[in-house]
Amino acid sequence: MTLYINCCVREESRTERLAKAVLRKLGGEFTELNLYEENLKPLDRDTLNKRTALIEKGDYRDPMFDYAKQFANADTIVIAAPYWDLSFPATLKTYIENIYITGIVSAYDEKGMPVGLCKATELYYVTTAGGPYDPTYSYGYIESLAKNFFGIPETYLVKAEMLDIEGNDAEETLNLEIDRIMKNGIL
Ligand SMILES: Cc1cc2nc3c(=O)[nH]c(=O)nc-3n(C[C@H](O)[C@H](O)[C@H](O)COP(=O)(O)O)c2cc1C
């Protein structure tokens, strides 16, 4: 099962259009998790205390762990998020805060080193940017989490950039990238 994590808020989202091309090319069924339709909340003192206590007991039955279980069980992961403020929307960070559960997506070995527990072998990060795209605080961060902590060995960036630069034809740039994916493959 492919898990499509949709963090695109605009109705006419270009990132979402690009992600749909990636999903079409991957083929097969996918489950969409639209982060803006979920009731995601950042951790606060109460939820963090509750979560820590449950993790210490090894009790993962609470619904607060459902997002992490869904993420850990996916075969392929596609994340769609626009480039915002050199990074991605805070809603995606809130989601990550909710899924990063020791014992579900990640664990520590006897030397205290992180070991990934996720089933996925591939993660695609899809984004579009108004100007030039710098992956450091968005794709770079997700890549690091995936490879170093979640056990997802392959991560790929799919992007269209410079879409809001005056004189550039955003539709043309986006359509060219979508056509390229459909004809030549995602990468
Ligand atoms: C809140 C916000 C922050 C943004 N920050 C950046 C930025 O730091 N750099 C950039 O190149 N574009 C930035 N943009 C432009 C978007 O990356 C660009 O329009 C993108 O294609 C939007 O994706 P969407 O059509 O999927 O919403 C920003 C747009 C918004 C709404």
Side-chain angles (χ1 to χ4, degrees):
M1 184 267 298
T2 295
L3 177 62
Y4 169 40
I5 300 160
N6 181 353
C7 188
C8 302
V9 71
R10 295 195 316 126
E11 232 168 31
E12 65 280 27
S13 169
R14 303 180 286 207
T15 313
E16 197 174 349
R17 279 168 60 196
L18 193 56
K20 288 281 163 62
V22 170
L23 289 162
R24 272 203 305 280
K25 199 67 193 173
L26 284 173
E29 303 261 302
F30 64 85
T31 298
E32 176 170 353
L33 183 67
N34 186 323
L35 299 188
Y36 287 98
E37 289 171 6
E38 300 298 315
N39 191 21
L40 286 164
K41 295 211 172 62
L43 287 164
D44 60 20
R45 187 178 294 167
D46 286 346
T47 49
L48 182 59
N49 283 342
K50 177 180 169 185
R51 181 171 107 158
T52 307
L54 288 173
I55 292 172
E56 273 170 10
K57 280 197 280 179
D59 180 354
Y60 298 104
R61 289 171 300 175
D62 193 279
M64 68 156 54
F65 299 119
D66 288 353
Y67 290 120
K69 289 176 192 164
Q70 182 187 42
F71 187 92
N73 283 324
D75 299 309
T76 302
I77 289 165
V78 176
I79 299 177
Y83 188 46
W84 277 13
D85 310 332
L86 293 188
S87 181
F88 45 64
T91 299
L92 180 56
K93 181 65 175 72
T94 303
Y95 172 74
I96 291 165
E97 216 171 87
N98 277 266
I99 61 157
Y100 197 157
I101 307 291
T102 306
I104 299 180
V105 297
S106 188
Y108 293 98
D109 66 15
E110 60 287 348
K111 288 188 184 133
M113 297 302 286
V115 187
L117 298 180
C118 292
K119 207 168 116 190
T121 49
E122 293 183 333
L123 180 150
Y124 295 84
Y125 185 85
V126 184
T127 195
T128 67
Y133 178 67
D134 174 350
T136 311
Y137 305 110
S138 50
Y139 172 70
Y141 165 66
I142 298 289
E143 178 186 35
S144 179
L145 279 178
K147 291 183 177 167
N148 300 324
F149 298 92
F150 296 167
I152 304 172
E154 303 294 338
T155 64
Y156 306 103
L157 171 66
V158 182
K159 66 171 164 61
E161 58 191 330
M162 309 294 275
L163 299 185
D164 297 332
I165 302 291
E166 229 182 282
N168 282 4
D169 187 336
E171 270 303 297
E172 191 188 9
T173 307
L174 189 64
N175 286 332
L176 274 174
E177 183 57 13
I178 290 171
D179 287 350
R180 189 198 62 71
I181 289 170
M182 295 319 290
K183 277 195 205 111
N184 303 337
I186 299 167
L187 306 173

